């Protein structure tokens, strides 16, 4: 059973997983990688998650404040040997719960149109396409999403 650690961008395992993510994106983004890379620095991320299988870090994700009440999902990654096991959904769900704990009501994110798996993943997770925001406004390869967060109550859950 995987375990999740809440941390920040100073965590060595988070830094290593982001390094792996960047190596992958360097290939898929091609000539546009430098543009995207400038907006994905992790030095000041306060809210990061690392997913472990045993002692091995296998996935990560982060959120950062975009504006009051809105968190931006950043640096989502699951190492190739651990994909298609529901780990990305687990990471994203934990990030959404954390955003709610931080009084946010919405998560937004940007991904590249060439990231076919990511585009499909975010749609499956209930994210809806929105107009490209901020630095992505006029970027042809970017697609932006949002999800309105809600607190879910389950039967037999005490209040």
């Amino acid at each position: 059973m995987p375990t999740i650690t809440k941390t920040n961008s100073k965590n060595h395992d988070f830094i290593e997983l982001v390094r792996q993510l960047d190596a992958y994106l360097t290939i898929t983004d091609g000539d546009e990688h430098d543009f995207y890379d400038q907006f994905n620095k992790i030095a000041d991320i306060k809210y990061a998650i690392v997913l472990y299988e045993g002692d091995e870090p296998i996935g990560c994700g982060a959120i950062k404040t975009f504006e009051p009440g809105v968190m931006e999902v950043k640096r989502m990654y699951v190492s190739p040997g651990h994909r298609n096991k529901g780990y990305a959904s687990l990471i994203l769900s934990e990030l959404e719960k954390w955003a709610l704990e931080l009084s946010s009501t919405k998560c937004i994110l940007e991904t590249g149109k060439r990231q076919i798996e990511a585009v499909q993943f975010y749609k499956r997770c209930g994210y809806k396409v929105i107009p490209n925001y901020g630095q992505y406004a006029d970027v042809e390869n970017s697609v932006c999403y949002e999800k309105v967060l809600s607190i879910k109550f389950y039967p037999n859950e005490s209040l």
Side-chain angles (χ1 to χ4, degrees), residues 66 131-139 144:
F66 181 77
N132 287 5
Y133 59 84
Q135 64 267 24
Y136 309 112
D138 296 318
V139 180
C144 294

Side-chain angles (χ1 to χ4, degrees), residues 6-88:
K6 286 182 173 180
T7 187
N8 60 42
S9 60
K10 294 180 181 16
N11 178 286
H12 294 291
D13 292 333
F14 179 73
I15 292 168
E16 174 56 24
L17 287 163
V18 168
R19 188 194 64 71
Q20 293 172 31
L21 169 60
D22 285 339
Y24 167 76
L25 292 175
T26 298
I27 295 165
T28 59
D29 289 341
D31 293 342
E32 296 174 331
H33 180 71
D34 288 341
F35 170 79
Y36 290 110
D37 190 51
Q38 69 182 320
F39 303 115
N40 287 311
K41 304 300 183 200
I42 62 169
D44 297 321
I45 292 180
K46 298 177 187 175
Y47 314 108
I49 285 178
V50 177
L51 181 71
Y52 292 89
E53 194 168 75
D55 292 335
E56 180 186 3
I58 61 169
C60 65
I63 51 176
K64 70 177 197 174
T65 302
F66 181 77
E67 61 186 39
V70 180
M71 287 290 193
E72 184 178 22
V73 177
K74 305 294 285 182
R75 313 315 343 230
M76 285 286 298
Y77 179 74
V78 174
S79 58
H82 299 281
R83 293 183 183 160
N84 300 313
K85 297 180 181 179
Y87 293 156

Side-chain angles (χ1 to χ4, degrees), residues 113-158:
K113 291 179 181 176
R114 293 184 198 112
Q115 318 301 329
I116 304 299
E117 297 88 359
V119 167
Q120 293 170 346
F121 169 71
Y122 291 120
K123 286 180 182 178
R124 272 195 321 271
C125 291
Y127 282 75
K128 306 293 183 209
V129 174
I130 58 172
N132 287 5
Y133 59 84
Q135 64 267 24
Y136 309 112
D138 296 318
V139 180
E140 175 78 24
N141 185 47
S142 288
V143 59
C144 294
Y145 294 91
E146 76 174 10
K147 181 177 182 180
V148 175
L149 304 176
S150 63
I151 299 171
K152 294 182 178 148
F153 292 98
Y154 299 95
N156 304 321
E157 184 177 287
S158 60

